[in-house]
Amino acid sequence: MPATNADSYTRTWNTDGEIAAVALPDGTRLRYLKTGEGPALVLLHTLRTQLDYFQRLIPLLVDRFTIYAVDFPALGWSDITPGTSYEEPALRKAVVDFIETLGLEDVTLVGESIGATVALTVSTEIPSRTRQVIALNTYDYPQGVERANLLANVIIKALRAPVIGPVFSTLTNRMILGGIMGGGLHDPKKLPKDFVLEQLRSGSRPGYATADVSYYRALPSYIAARRLYPRIAVPVTFIYGEDDWSKPQERTDAAHLVPGSRMITLREVGHFSALERPEEIARLVTESSASKVNGSNRRSA
């Protein structure tokens, strides 16, 4: 991987899983963690983070699933390839290639934020390999993280600006990143401080700033991905935090686009639900896996 100590943080919370890199057909290597036993479950993290985002959720699922948590291209400790696209179609292809290269079947796809959007669109490419999708706080609406708080609104707009975007990315520090991420939690105290430092560490690699800015500028492609939702042919559960950045109508509209989907709203939860309420997410993932998802039932938890 890009650094000899790339896995040191992951080993602080997972000591026995396999940490490896898989080479995709285009040569890009994606770092992933494989752990647990049971049916395949692929975890797709959110913007600006990495597979360690799921550090509180994974231990609750290892007894029921073989978990594959993957770093998106250029994020975490996956390869940074100059000129790579980070728009939704490119991430969709990367995840499809990841699943096919590893030969995974009957996969439960669980994604948070852009990971949720990608999980939904990936299922349209490989329905025969997909068992179900659990979409946490799907990121497919205008502004996105700019809605987190005033700090996020200012910084993200700067990151998306021509020329100065990469400069602002390199200036990101613990206070800025922690402040932005805190705006994605109902209770900001639940943000792991050491995880913020790890993101800054992986984000200090050459080329990261350019990729970081490209991800933020790619938001329109994730909004456009909604056009694929009616093609989804596997069971889908949308889970939203009551305090997610999305608006209630945006959530309902997304769910209505997916035939037979259901939507669940978690009280006192923000955008980063896998960090804030891992026990509840683990329960819902397990329940959904144990029973076929039918109808469009909507409830609050």
Side-chain angles (χ1 to χ4, degrees):
M1 295 308 298
T4 56
N5 63 346
D7 304 329
S8 59
Y9 180 77
T10 304
R11 286 304 184 202
T12 66
W13 60 269
N14 185 284
T15 59
D16 55 1
E18 173 191 355
I19 302 175
V22 60
L24 304 184
D26 67 359
T28 301
R29 295 178 304 161
L30 300 185
R31 183 184 77 133
Y32 69 96
L33 167 69
K34 177 184 177 182
T35 187
E37 185 175 351
L41 185 150
V42 172
L43 290 172
L44 303 176
H45 62 81
T46 180
L47 190 67
R48 186 55 173 86
T49 66
Q50 55 199 68
L51 65 84
D52 304 278
Y53 174 79
F54 294 108
Q55 61 185 271
R56 292 174 176 167
L57 179 62
I58 289 173
L60 304 176
L61 295 172
V62 290
D63 292 338
R64 298 179 180 272
F65 300 93
T66 300
I67 298 169
Y68 298 82
V70 59
D71 282 341
F72 277 137
L75 300 184
W77 297 96
S78 286
D79 281 355
I80 300 174
T81 305
T84 295
S85 170
Y86 301 107
E87 296 197 343
E88 183 278 325
L91 259 66
R92 185 197 328 160
K93 184 178 188 306
V95 175
V96 169
D97 286 346
F98 174 82
I99 290 171
E100 291 184 337
T101 299
L102 292 181
L104 306 184
E105 301 282 354
D106 196 28
V107 176
T108 291
L109 290 166
V110 179
E112 182 98 77
S113 190
I114 67 164
T117 308
V118 173
L120 290 164
T121 60
V122 163
S123 74
T124 68
E125 300 278 348
I126 48 171
S128 63
R129 291 181 183 267
T130 306
R131 179 173 183 173
Q132 65 171 331
V133 176
I134 299 176
L136 310 173
N137 293 311
T138 308
Y139 192 100
D140 57 2
Y141 46 87
Q143 296 180 299
V145 67
E146 289 179 31
R147 297 178 180 177
N149 51 35
L150 180 59
L151 175 64
N153 184 274
V154 172
I155 296 297
I156 303 305
K157 283 180 178 177
L159 287 171
R160 288 182 175 144
V163 183
I164 66 171
V167 175
F168 270 82
S169 179
T170 59
L171 294 176
T172 300
N173 57 28
R174 178 177 179 177
M175 183 176 296
I176 292 174
L177 184 56
I180 292 173
M181 293 196 69
L185 296 166
H186 174 80
D187 180 3
K189 294 179 181 178
K190 292 186 177 180
L191 176 65
K193 293 182 176 60
D194 58 349
F195 179 46
V196 174
L197 294 176
E198 166 63 8
Q199 291 175 84
L200 293 173
R201 189 171 74 97
S202 63
S204 67
R205 296 178 297 152
Y208 184 90
T210 299
D212 184 32
V213 168
S214 296
Y215 268 105
Y216 285 114
R217 291 176 179 170
L219 176 58
S221 70
Y222 294 89
I223 299 172
R226 282 193 174 204
R227 75 184 190 283
L228 298 178
Y229 291 3
R231 303 181 193 177
I232 296 173
V234 302
V236 171
T237 300
F238 287 94
I239 300 175
Y240 288 97
E242 185 178 43
D243 299 328
D244 181 46
W245 303 329
S246 59
K247 298 175 182 178
Q249 189 61 52
E250 291 166 341
R251 306 170 195 176
T252 301
D253 290 346
H256 282 165
L257 287 172
V258 180
S261 68
R262 65 171 181 167
M263 186 172 76
I264 297 170
T265 301
L266 302 179
R267 297 189 180 95
E268 298 186 349
V269 178
H271 186 71
F272 300 131
S273 63
L275 281 177
E276 192 155 39
R277 287 277 289 277
E279 295 85 0
E280 186 68 12
I281 300 302
R283 181 183 67 80
L284 291 169
V285 169
T286 302
E287 287 180 356
S288 294
S289 181
S291 60
K292 186 175 181 180
V293 181
N294 288 311
S296 302
N297 300 317
R298 291 172 171 80
R299 63 184 178 87
S300 296

